[in-house]
Amino acid sequence: MSALMRALSIKQKLTMVMLLTIFAGVVLIGVFFMGYERVQTREQLVHEIAVITKVAYSQVTAALEFDDLNTLQESANSLDFDYTIDVVCIYDGELDLKARSFPGTARAIPCPDNPHADTTGFVNSKYQHIEDVFSESVRVGTIFISANMDYVNSQIQRYFYMMLTALGIVSIVSLLVAMVLQKAVTDPISELAVTAASIATERDFSLRANKTSDDEIGQMVDAFNAMLVAIEQRDQELRSHKAELESKVEERTSELKAANQELEAFSYSVSHDLRSPLRAIDGFSQALMEDYSQDLDATALGYLERVRMASQRMGVLIDSMLWLSRVTRQEIVARTVDFTLMCEEVVKDVRERDPNRNIQVTVQRGMTMRCDSRLMRIVITNLVDNAFKYTQKVEQPEVVIGCKEGVYYIQDNGAGFDMRYVDKLFGAFQRLHSKDEFEGTGVGLATVARVVHRHGGDIWAESVVDRGTTFYFTVAG
Amino acid sequence: MKGIARPDSGHMMLRALVCTLGVLLSSLSYAENEAQLKAAFVYNFTKYVAWPLATEQASGQLRVCVSGKGAYTEELSQLVGREVRTFRIDVVSLSKEDALDGCQVVYVTGEDVRKILPKTQNKAILTISDDPDFVARGGIIGLITEGRRIRFDINLGRAKASQLQISSRLLQLARRVE
């Protein structure tokens, strides 16, 4: 029922409500009148029988008193005045049957043996009238009349058909009237619904619903329009805010870009310009050590050696910084590369740097990647380097490179790190291990992260101390 | 003229008895005694006959005078005390010399018909007899036995002459009305 109601339009619902109301009204009236008619016809029947009994009463009395069977028979027949009466029986004072209406006819209904005046009334869909006949206060006989309900029922049936006809006519007429009148209610609602729907689909908040009445629907239209005005205003505000924000972002971005470029230029020039004095320090220290080794004592030579070491380390740092800034500045030229081959080449290079180490490296077959091959080689070199480095203290070092569901990974069983410091992992010059434990400048993973980010990808790591680390990264496309 | 069987003591008891008998009498069972039936008829006739205004207004007693052999005096005397309209029935036995003054109903049989009938002429007396030629001889109601049933004839002219009004109901039931 509720599902049906849901599916109906307001127009249909209104029509249905009206029709049902009228139906209920007509049926109620019909039932009322049928009940009334039933009572009425019953009363009429009772009254009619009472009247004719009264009319025949004196004749029956005399006939009973003088035991005149012919007259009693006539009286019985005259009381059986139409088909409503089933039978009329006349008894004498001792309740012996004296006469029965139309004896021997087909609709012969037996006379009861012992009629009693108290049983007058409706019994088993029949009406029986029993009247004692008195003469000078002495009961001289009894009249028994049994009437059927055929007439009453036919009357009620007639009313039922009348009600059905009325129901039909009223339904048709009211449907027509409803169709005309409901427009006053449904049209504004339909119009409002159409407007709302077109606003929802076209996102045009400048549309307005048309107000045609001052009733609740009119109020709804007003409220709807007010809402549209508010939405439109807010929309405009939002749009202007957005534009403002965009221009601000653009401004900031360009400022940032400029600052970044400046910074990069600065760091590049600094790194570059730092190299020549560093080379001078290293070169002259070496010259001192070689040319004046006889004049200098062991302590001085040791100091010089330290100067050289320090300047060389600084050189490495500067190189790393140069890498970082180069990675940042370099344009990305992406093409599909054989990632497996690249990884194998990198592993071979890294192995050659320390040929004494025996590390088992597994590279998954058939991997490809769309990337800038030179930059990606830096990533892989750094990660493989890392893996080799942190597996120094492991007896059977293993490194696995592979790809799973678009995520590339490189896994080692090395020292690992505390996951609490994972935030610092990819920051420049951040180190999780001391220089004494593992060598490093703290720029490698920063470079890796920057390259991955420049490829539109992401990089993260999972690690368990003394169990190993896995680096995961993705690239866009 | 002397009253029959009207003891003052036990009057009510008698009345009750008579009423019960009346019910039995008016039920007209075939098995009933013909005499009792005829007595019941006499009683019933009085219901359908109206006497002149003076008699009706005087009310009180309705005297049934009985005369002749086999006149069911005993059965008729059982009607004593029964009421008809405002009347109370009284039954007296007539001797030959008695005048008919005071009789409203005369039930006569046999030889007495010839003697008494002329005395009732033009008097407000309802004459009843089971004499076969009673109506023809100037009586008002004649009882006739047909098989086991009792019918009656009415002489309407005589009744009118006697200032008696006979109900049409009774006339309807009569075998013959003259």
Side-chain angles (χ1 to χ4, degrees), chain A residues 309-354:
Chain A
M309 289 272 276
S311 58
Q312 273 166 21
R313 209 166 57 238
M314 192 168 171
V316 173
L317 261 171
I318 288 166
D319 279 349
S320 303
M321 276 170 75
L322 274 174
W323 262 119
L324 196 57
S325 63
R326 198 176 299 163
V327 160
T328 312
R329 280 180 305 160
Q330 204 159 351
E331 197 98 351
I332 286 186
V333 185
R335 57 171 71 89
T336 305
V337 298
D338 187 341
F339 188 61
T340 304
L341 183 67
M342 184 195 280
C343 290
E344 280 169 348
E345 281 170 7
V346 167
V347 167
K348 201 176 145 204
D349 286 350
V350 176
R351 268 189 207 284
E352 276 172 4
R353 256 186 259 163
D354 197 352

Side-chain angles (χ1 to χ4, degrees), chain A residues 55-72 75 90 133-135 140-141 143, chain B residues 26 28 40-41 44-45 47-48 150 152 167-174:
Chain A
V55 168
Y57 190 91
S58 54
Q59 188 185 24
V60 171
T61 312
L64 278 169
E65 279 171 332
F66 295 103
D67 193 26
D68 192 320
L69 295 181
N70 291 335
T71 307
L72 285 175
S75 298
I90 300 175
V133 180
F134 288 96
S135 175
V140 294
I143 302 173
Chain B
S26 58
L28 302 181
F41 266 54
N44 287 333
F45 288 140
K47 294 178 187 169
Y48 297 93
I150 294 169
F152 56 90
S167 163
S168 61
R169 293 260 166 257
L170 193 61
L171 296 175
Q172 273 172 7
L173 297 175

Side-chain angles (χ1 to χ4, degrees), chain A residues 289 296-305:
Chain A
M289 283 172 78
L296 294 170
D297 58 15
T299 315
L301 282 173
Y303 286 162
L304 276 174
E305 185 62 32

Side-chain angles (χ1 to χ4, degrees), chain A residues 243-386:
Chain A
E244 206 176 303
L245 271 175
E246 264 173 7
S247 70
K248 249 178 203 166
V249 165
E250 224 162 88
E251 205 178 301
R252 291 284 147 79
T253 311
S254 62
E255 274 172 22
L256 252 164
K257 252 186 198 161
N260 236 11
Q261 265 170 359
E262 235 165 70
L263 204 69
E264 271 166 20
F266 173 75
S267 73
Y268 183 78
S269 64
V270 163
S271 317
H272 212 259
D273 294 351
L274 278 176
R275 287 181 132 210
S276 40
L278 208 56
R279 258 199 309 268
I281 292 167
D282 188 39
F284 284 109
S285 298
Q286 193 181 0
L288 263 178
M289 283 172 78
E290 284 171 4
D291 298 351
Y292 296 91
S293 57
Q294 297 96 337
D295 302 336
L296 294 170
D297 58 15
T299 315
L301 282 173
Y303 286 162
L304 276 174
E305 185 62 32
R306 282 203 194 175
V307 168
R308 281 201 67 196
M309 289 272 276
S311 58
Q312 273 166 21
R313 209 166 57 238
M314 192 168 171
V316 173
L317 261 171
I318 288 166
D319 279 349
S320 303
M321 276 170 75
L322 274 174
W323 262 119
L324 196 57
S325 63
R326 198 176 299 163
V327 160
T328 312
R329 280 180 305 160
Q330 204 159 351
E331 197 98 351
I332 286 186
V333 185
R335 57 171 71 89
T336 305
V337 298
D338 187 341
F339 188 61
T340 304
L341 183 67
M342 184 195 280
C343 290
E344 280 169 348
E345 281 170 7
V346 167
V347 167
K348 201 176 145 204
D349 286 350
V350 176
R351 268 189 207 284
E352 276 172 4
R353 256 186 259 163
D354 197 352
N356 297 329
R357 293 196 61 197
N358 183 21
I359 302 172
Q360 193 192 328
V361 180
T362 317
V363 180
Q364 189 181 315
R365 305 275 92 202
M367 288 190 292
T368 56
M369 186 191 275
R370 187 163 174 76
C371 61
D372 185 305
S373 63
R374 283 181 308 142
L375 287 175
M376 193 47 69
R377 195 178 283 270
I378 294 167
V379 169
I380 299 306
T381 308
N382 266 300
L383 289 176
V384 171
D385 222 13
N386 240 25

Side-chain angles (χ1 to χ4, degrees), chain B residues 3-19:
Chain B
I4 317 169
R6 272 203 72 197
D8 284 339
S9 62
H11 171 70
M12 292 305 289
M13 208 178 74
L14 187 71
R15 264 191 73 192
L17 182 70
V18 168
C19 280

Side-chain angles (χ1 to χ4, degrees), chain B residues 106-125:
Chain B
V106 168
Y107 187 86
V108 63
T109 54
E111 289 297 306
D112 289 4
V113 172
R114 196 168 43 81
K115 281 186 247 165
I116 289 175
L117 203 54
K119 294 186 192 173
T120 64
Q121 295 298 315
N122 301 325
K123 284 182 180 163
I125 294 172

Side-chain angles (χ1 to χ4, degrees), chain B residues 34-46:
Chain B
E34 190 188 338
Q36 280 183 330
L37 271 177
K38 284 180 177 168
F41 266 54
V42 169
Y43 170 68
N44 287 333
F45 288 140
T46 62

